[in-house]
Amino acid sequence: MKLKSSLYVKYLVVALLIMSVSTVLAFLATNMYYQQVLKEQNDAKNTAIASRMAAYISGQSKLNLQEHLSMLGQAGYQIYVVNESGASGYYGGEYRRKELERSIIADVLAGDVYHGMRDYRKQLFVTGFFANDIRNSIGIPFVHEGQRYAMFVRPDIRLLFSEVHTMMGGMALLMLVVSLLAIIIAAWYLVRPIKKLTAATRRIAAEDFETHVRISRSDELGELAASFNRMAKQLLANEAERKSFIRNVSHDFQSPLLNIGGYAALLKQKELDEASRRQYAAVIENEAMRLSNLTKQLLLLTSLDQRGKSITRRSYALHEQIERIVMKYRWLLEKEEISISLDTDPLYLNGDEALLENVWENLLTNAIKYNKPGGKIRIRTERERKQVNVTFEDTGIGIAEQDLPHVFERFYRADASRSTNGTGLGLSIVKETVVLHQGEIRISSTRGEGTCVTVTLPIMPGADRLDTV
Ligand code: ATP
Ligand code: MG
């Protein structure tokens, strides 16, 4: 782990920074509160206590002053008493600083109350509260046996540090230690999944698509891990698809090339009768056509893949397009003795004319190729609100139930159709084109009875409406 830039260290530093800044702010705030409010209150409270002490002494003429003051000292007060004639004494806990201006003593003797706690010099920290200084006391006058006295009182500082204070201090310290530990652990838990994900990303970059991260959390990191796993799964599937595609393509190129090579070698023979020569040449021609067809289909597939989601839409007459294609295949229909019925109203569609032409051509050639002699084909187009349905129905060999879900896969050919030429790419191209047009394709079939393919295409807003011409 690179310490300087690691997220873990950053998190710790930030957390510690937050802790220290908040401690300092809290300290300053309490200090301000002490200076503004508590100091005044503390002074008033202690003035009240001192006044009661003075009133008691003044009221008890038979009181033994020495004894009484020592008793108060033992009860937890630091007391300094001085009288008019200058005689003085300390009782209770000792003051650390004992300097007190004469004028203050004179004022108190004259009857004033000295508010040392309130007026004690301002300090940045609350420590003023604890200063064991005679100036940080309450001065109060009293009269005993005709003598005037000035008494300076403050509660004994040691008593302020009671068990409660120790407990509070301990609590604060414990809180600090526990939160530090918690931050260290939390940071580790936060960083660990990120490190796991980073390692997994590296594995993916090295093309190990079987990578899977095990992070079960319900937060954003858990979500990230779940999407990562989904991505890895998709990449694995893509990789498998790519490999099978290459396998299929090579195989589909390999067999016609082998045939061409084989028959070309046969053609080289010297004594070859005309009929065989023609037959071999026909095979070569046929295989060359197959290769050319395959290449065309592959090029079309690649161009569809590269297009992404963009097609150039143009408004054109769908019925005319379909009629044109049927015309094109009239010779084949006649040859195969297949009758065709065309049921199209004038319809205008907004789409890529060339791509859609390929769709209809594929569906028609399938309906011819996989038909039976004397079979029928029915083509219908109908408008349904904002979409158009084009249906190709044939009375051909049909598709077995187990093949039906696969016919849109690249290179898939049902066993029953292997006797006819084909690459198995036609329907996959049809489907991709239809999806590009934001349409849908459905196929239903019964073995031995026939097949029905329906293409539904949306009529885009802004396109020509399906008006009659
Ligand atoms: P290509 O169209 O590339 O020349 P193809 O016709 O074999 O080859 P697709 O059009 O993709 O390939 O069709 C895939 C498979 O689906 C066909 O091989 C065939 O088994 C089956 N199929 C498609 N249309 C029909 C149909 N109308 N009747 C019976 N089977 C069909
Ligand atoms: Mg086909």
Side-chain angles (χ1 to χ4, degrees):
M1 178 162 61
K2 274 187 237 112
L3 269 184
K4 243 186 178 165
S5 53
S6 115
L7 185 64
Y8 183 69
V9 172
K10 274 185 192 156
Y11 184 85
L12 281 188
V13 169
V14 168
L16 287 178
L17 219 72
I18 291 174
M19 272 173 74
S20 357
V21 168
S22 57
T23 311
V24 169
L25 284 180
F27 192 72
L28 288 177
T30 6
N31 193 57
M32 218 153 85
Y33 183 63
Y34 166 72
Q35 298 290 0
Q36 301 297 330
V37 183
L38 283 187
K39 211 171 166 187
E40 194 87 36
Q41 282 180 7
N42 191 37
D43 184 275
K45 196 176 79 186
N46 282 293
T47 308
I49 293 171
S51 304
R52 258 179 271 134
M53 286 178 180
Y56 182 79
I57 299 170
S58 301
Q60 302 284 323
S61 51
K62 289 195 186 104
L63 186 83
N64 180 336
L65 188 60
Q66 295 288 337
E67 256 175 37
H68 183 73
L69 290 174
S70 326
M71 189 267 287
L72 283 178
Q74 279 160 22
Y77 288 94
Q78 291 172 272
I79 299 169
Y80 170 64
V81 176
V82 55
N83 68 8
E84 283 169 310
S85 44
S88 65
Y90 289 95
Y91 305 90
E94 204 180 338
Y95 280 111
R96 201 161 59 80
R97 303 185 65 176
K98 296 178 181 165
E99 302 88 47
L100 190 63
E101 286 84 349
R102 288 193 168 280
S103 60
I104 295 175
I105 299 176
D107 284 349
V108 176
L109 281 172
D112 281 354
V113 175
Y114 167 64
H115 290 283
M117 286 188 174
R118 186 189 61 201
D119 304 332
Y120 195 70
R121 69 197 139 90
K122 274 207 166 95
Q123 283 176 337
L124 180 60
F125 299 121
V126 256
T127 43
F129 184 77
F130 305 109
N132 188 5
D133 185 342
I134 198 161
R135 288 199 192 94
N136 190 15
S137 69
I138 301 292
I140 199 106
F142 68 83
V143 182
H144 185 69
E145 292 176 349
Q147 270 271 21
R148 281 178 166 279
Y149 289 85
M151 175 168 73
F152 295 87
V153 188
R154 66 175 267 110
D156 193 334
I157 199 75
R158 275 162 305 193
L159 292 182
L160 285 176
F161 282 104
S162 58
E163 291 81 353
V164 179
H165 286 93
T166 326
M167 232 166 72
M168 300 269 272
M171 202 170 87
L173 201 73
L174 204 71
M175 260 166 67
L176 190 80
V177 173
V178 169
S179 43
L180 255 176
L181 274 176
I183 287 170
I184 290 173
I185 294 170
W188 194 69
Y189 268 99
L190 186 80
V191 170
R192 198 174 58 144
I194 297 177
K195 291 180 81 179
K196 265 192 186 176
L197 275 166
T198 313
T201 316
R202 284 211 188 98
R203 286 203 297 277
I204 292 266
E207 295 194 10
D208 171 11
F209 301 121
E210 308 221 357
T211 301
H212 179 91
V213 277
R214 251 181 278 280
I215 297 173
S216 50
R217 305 164 59 127
S218 52
D219 56 7
E220 286 83 349
L221 279 173
E223 248 171 63
L224 179 63
S227 344
F228 181 90
N229 284 338
R230 271 200 299 279
M231 180 191 77
K233 217 168 138 191
Q234 186 59 48
L235 285 173
L236 189 67
N238 288 356
E239 177 70 3
E241 199 183 325
R242 192 176 65 92
K243 281 187 180 147
S244 105
F245 185 77
I246 292 173
R247 218 174 18 249
N248 282 323
V249 171
S250 347
H251 174 260
D252 277 37
F253 270 94
Q254 188 62 16
S255 48
L257 283 174
L258 266 179
N259 286 343
I260 291 175
Y263 283 100
L266 286 178
L267 272 181
K268 280 200 289 193
Q269 289 173 357
K270 276 196 182 123
E271 318 71 41
L272 199 65
D273 58 285
E274 179 64 14
S276 309
R277 197 179 56 82
R278 278 180 171 277
Q279 195 196 342
Y280 298 164
V283 173
I284 292 177
E285 196 180 5
N286 200 19
E287 292 296 82
M289 283 284 287
R290 219 171 110 188
L291 278 179
S292 151
N293 192 30
L294 181 66
T295 321
K296 258 199 304 213
Q297 305 255 58
L298 284 173
L299 281 175
L300 185 56
L301 258 184
T302 329
S303 94
L304 282 180
D305 283 348
Q306 280 170 352
R307 242 167 243 255
K309 286 196 164 52
S310 70
I311 42 167
T312 38
R313 288 178 186 274
R314 205 177 64 84
S315 183
Y316 71 93
L318 177 67
H319 57 287
E320 283 172 11
Q321 187 181 41
I322 293 178
E323 278 160 16
R324 223 173 26 242
I325 291 164
V326 171
M327 274 302 289
K328 194 167 147 188
Y329 283 92
R330 182 86 43 207
W331 66 274
L332 190 57
L333 289 161
E334 272 168 21
K335 189 176 148 219
E336 303 281 332
E337 294 174 352
I338 295 167
S339 64
I340 187 157
S341 76
L342 191 57
D343 183 4
T344 58
D345 288 334
L347 276 177
Y348 288 84
L349 190 70
N350 195 308
D352 188 314
E353 197 175 349
L355 285 181
L356 286 174
E357 179 145 346
N358 183 63
V359 167
W360 317 132
E361 199 168 331
N362 252 303
L363 295 180
L364 181 63
T365 50
N366 279 356
I368 300 173
K369 271 201 294 191
Y370 308 116
N371 221 315
K372 297 178 206 153
K376 289 195 192 104
I377 297 175
R378 194 169 160 218
I379 305 175
R380 269 174 298 144
T381 61
E382 59 188 7
R383 191 189 166 167
E384 201 183 75
R385 278 189 233 114
K386 289 212 159 84
Q387 61 187 38
V388 48
N389 296 330
V390 183
T391 309
F392 284 72
E393 213 176 336
D394 66 62
T395 56
I397 57 170
I399 304 168
E401 212 177 309
Q402 74 269 18
D403 291 323
L404 209 52
H406 303 290
V407 291
F408 295 115
E409 288 168 15
R410 291 176 181 185
F411 295 106
Y412 192 87
R413 303 199 73 208
D415 284 337
S417 55
R418 298 237 174 243
S419 52
T420 35
N421 267 343
T423 59
L425 286 173
L427 280 183
S428 66
I429 294 174
V430 166
K431 173 136 192 193
E432 279 192 39
T433 310
V434 170
V435 169
L436 263 180
H437 281 80
Q438 284 148 41
E440 262 177 42
I441 181 163
R442 285 184 303 277
I443 186 163
S444 63
S445 186
T446 313
R447 194 78 202 271
E449 282 183 21
T451 306
C452 178
V453 184
T454 305
V455 172
T456 305
L457 294 170
I459 297 161
M460 288 298 169
D464 285 345
R465 262 175 283 120
L466 304 182
D467 307 321
T468 43
V469 184

